[in-house]
Amino acid sequence: MASTGGSRRTFIAGAGAAATAGALSISGALAAPAAAAAAATPPDGRRVAVLGGGVAGLTAAHELAERGYAVTVYERRALGGKARSMDVPGSARGTRRPLPAEHGFRFIPGIYHNLPDTMRRIPFPGNANGVWDNLVAPREMMFARAGGREDLRGPIPWPEHSPAELTPDELRRALSGILQSLVRLPPHETAYFVNRVLVFLTSCDERRNEVWEHTPWWDFVRAAQMSNEYQRILAIGVTRNIVATKAEEASTRTVGTLGEAFVFNLLGRGADGPPDRILNLPTNEAWIDPWEAHLRSLGVEFRIGWTVREVQYGNGRVSGVAASDPSGARQTVTADHYVCALPVEHARRTWSPALRAADPMLGRCDRLETDWMTGIQFYLTERAPLVHGHLNCIDSPWSLTAIQQAEHWPSRDFPADYGDGAAVDCLSVDVSEWDKPGILYGKTAKQCTREEVAREVWAQLKASLNDTGKILLRDSALHSWFLDPGVDGLGTPNPTNQDELLIHPTGTFHNRPSAGTRIPNFFLSGDYVAVDIDLATMEGANASARAAVNSLLDRDGSKAARCVIQPLYRAPEVASAKRHDLWRYRLGLRNVFDLG
């Protein structure tokens, strides 16, 4: 899941500020503010401070600026947040760009609708549909298995099967065909899993929220009674590699809702595009830098290197935000409205006791959980013949997923434009499991040094790809590697990660806050906010920002058009089955397809 121009400079500035100001935290003894930092005042005085410059913050700024608000974005490190790309320091030679790196490879599937709408509204030279036209669809995917077993490789159907009616029988046939062609499980296991999918698809919302939310996915699909292959692909693979939560803990509501959307996407229903899409350039070049430029053209101001310390509360409202500027000096940010767009693990540290007392919903956010999912890039001097799309190493202890990026950047010649000219490809890998021993050192990823993490990931990749007699990854082709700088202290007793990922254990849904709070000028935006897509995604961040802006407009009495928030697709053919299930649920009966 490289920076250019202004974003490169702001990343460097943000990194320097982080070094001097430290991580986000509440300071119990803040010094008196050196000066007041306020956004430029428009004629009608409507000023908004957006705290955080990730996808949620930039989306909120975009929607507010289009509606005439004066917006200032305060960002500690770099615009784009977890979605950004960055430069590998010291990698450029001559007139070439530095090698591109990132927190994790981008994945913008066709189930998204709100984020693509925003992308269409960001101009990009030569593109009729803005940066949205920079999305490309990989042709295939692969489950790589270790131990000499055959890898499972298949095309991504788009649109391959679009039935006239999504009847249960038609859904069963379609899903069975997809699983048999891609996964090749024993027929009885395929049949059982398809039956469980039908149970979820036809479950009413009440059953989903009250029963499946509290049922682990592992139990729902009865993984303990199935083959190792079933467990690795349909239980562990789905949850750990995609939802980033352990199958034994992951909420069936969350996993099932995501799976439902992908099923309809694969069947050509309710989709913005193909099920698998990525960007055709490094993220900042294809998206974040043009977005920043467009927002500046709308009057948005950016304060990079500013660290939020405390959201202050007084007289029934947010009275200001204590922050450190790039020099480390204490400042007070003032505005008419405040949108908190920080990741939840950082945001909740900044909510003062008085603010929490004003809205108990904020306290429930302390129960939300995060985990590590971090990217590492390997730069290669030769193209490895792997797969034309995403690769899932289902047997890797560290739950690796990867993609070769250069082939998806058709408008750029990788060796000519980046680094020293020797690297011809970038194998971008996400590490999802940081607490299990590896195969090289017998240590968890957190216990390894950065160098050991790189060697271990490389070894696990080779174990999955070089195990059938054909050498796909060669040590001699490894040019260099880059591990996300947000991870620090590896190999010490106290490893840290500045960019943890929201995870979804059972019961999580009921602790997610709404975008509007009881504080009349304070709003929440981020992938932890309760929106239709119950997952840590850029789509969730975008949708929550739209919800926050709509709440702000309501509180402000604005006559501006409200943001459109597109829900996940719901097949109309399934609606009658869900109504029938509601009747059964209220009578205490199982779903009609639930055979136990």
Side-chain angles (χ1 to χ4, degrees), residues 448-470:
C448 291
T449 65
R450 297 179 73 87
E451 291 74 15
E452 288 172 340
V453 167
R455 296 190 191 102
E456 179 72 55
V457 172
W458 185 252
Q460 291 186 30
L461 289 170
K462 291 192 297 181
S464 294
L465 297 167
N466 293 353
D467 60 324
T468 57
K470 186 176 181 180

Side-chain angles (χ1 to χ4, degrees), residues 539-578:
E539 174 77 349
N542 185 279
S544 71
R546 292 167 181 243
V549 170
N550 285 348
S551 183
L552 187 155
L553 296 174
D554 291 344
R555 297 276 179 85
D556 216 23
S558 173
K559 296 181 180 180
R562 297 318 190 245
C563 306
V564 174
I565 305 175
Q566 182 72 28
L568 287 173
Y569 178 72
R570 302 292 197 277
E573 296 93 333
V574 183
S576 61
K578 293 178 70 174

Side-chain angles (χ1 to χ4, degrees), residues 507-555:
T508 297
F509 169 73
H510 302 290
N511 294 321
R512 294 166 71 100
S514 61
T517 73
R518 294 184 183 181
I519 299 101
N521 64 339
F522 186 63
F523 309 91
L524 304 179
S525 175
D527 58 14
Y528 66 98
V529 173
V531 290
D532 195 50
I533 185 166
D534 179 23
L535 193 67
T537 59
M538 295 182 290
E539 174 77 349
N542 185 279
S544 71
R546 292 167 181 243
V549 170
N550 285 348
S551 183
L552 187 155
L553 296 174
D554 291 344
R555 297 276 179 85

Side-chain angles (χ1 to χ4, degrees), residues 3-14 77 87 304:
S3 307
T4 58
S7 286
R8 282 183 176 149
R9 291 189 294 273
T10 55
F11 174 76
I12 294 171
R77 188 172 47 183
D87 296 340
I304 309 300

Side-chain angles (χ1 to χ4, degrees), residues 36 39 50 53 81 92 172 232 240 270 293 363 449 482 533 539 549 562 580:
V50 175
R172 183 181 284 112
R232 297 297 298 173
R240 194 62 191 170
T449 65
F482 182 82
I533 185 166
E539 174 77 349
V549 170
R562 297 318 190 245
H580 178 70

Side-chain angles (χ1 to χ4, degrees), residues 347-504:
R348 57 194 177 196
R349 301 175 194 170
T350 71
W351 298 338
S352 65
L355 189 76
R356 288 168 171 265
D359 191 343
M361 175 184 71
L362 299 177
R364 292 203 304 272
C365 292
D366 293 338
R367 303 173 192 168
L368 298 176
E369 299 181 34
T370 59
D371 202 351
W372 290 36
M373 176 182 272
T374 302
I376 182 171
Q377 286 76 49
F378 295 98
Y379 304 95
L380 309 177
T381 58
E382 63 183 38
R383 295 279 176 91
L386 303 182
V387 62
H388 301 292
H390 285 98
L391 163 71
N392 189 324
C393 298
I394 60 174
D395 294 320
S396 58
W398 290 1
S399 297
L400 307 180
T401 52
I403 191 167
Q404 291 171 274
Q405 294 188 302
E407 70 171 292
H408 302 290
W409 298 343
S411 62
R412 291 291 175 89
D413 183 357
F414 190 94
D417 282 351
Y418 297 96
D420 60 5
V424 301
D425 205 352
C426 173
L427 180 60
S428 187
V429 185
D430 275 352
V431 181
S432 297
E433 175 58 77
W434 286 76
D435 294 306
K436 287 186 178 179
I439 63 175
L440 197 60
Y441 299 104
K443 297 191 290 186
T444 70
K446 292 177 182 176
Q447 293 170 335
C448 291
T449 65
R450 297 179 73 87
E451 291 74 15
E452 288 172 340
V453 167
R455 296 190 191 102
E456 179 72 55
V457 172
W458 185 252
Q460 291 186 30
L461 289 170
K462 291 192 297 181
S464 294
L465 297 167
N466 293 353
D467 60 324
T468 57
K470 186 176 181 180
I471 305 301
L472 302 181
L473 284 183
R474 302 179 185 276
D475 292 339
S476 59
L478 182 56
H479 174 276
S480 55
W481 56 269
F482 182 82
L483 178 62
D484 184 356
V487 173
D488 197 13
L490 292 177
T492 74
N494 299 299
T496 60
N497 187 345
Q498 297 183 46
D499 298 297
E500 294 191 21
L501 191 71
L502 183 73
I503 60 174
H504 306 269

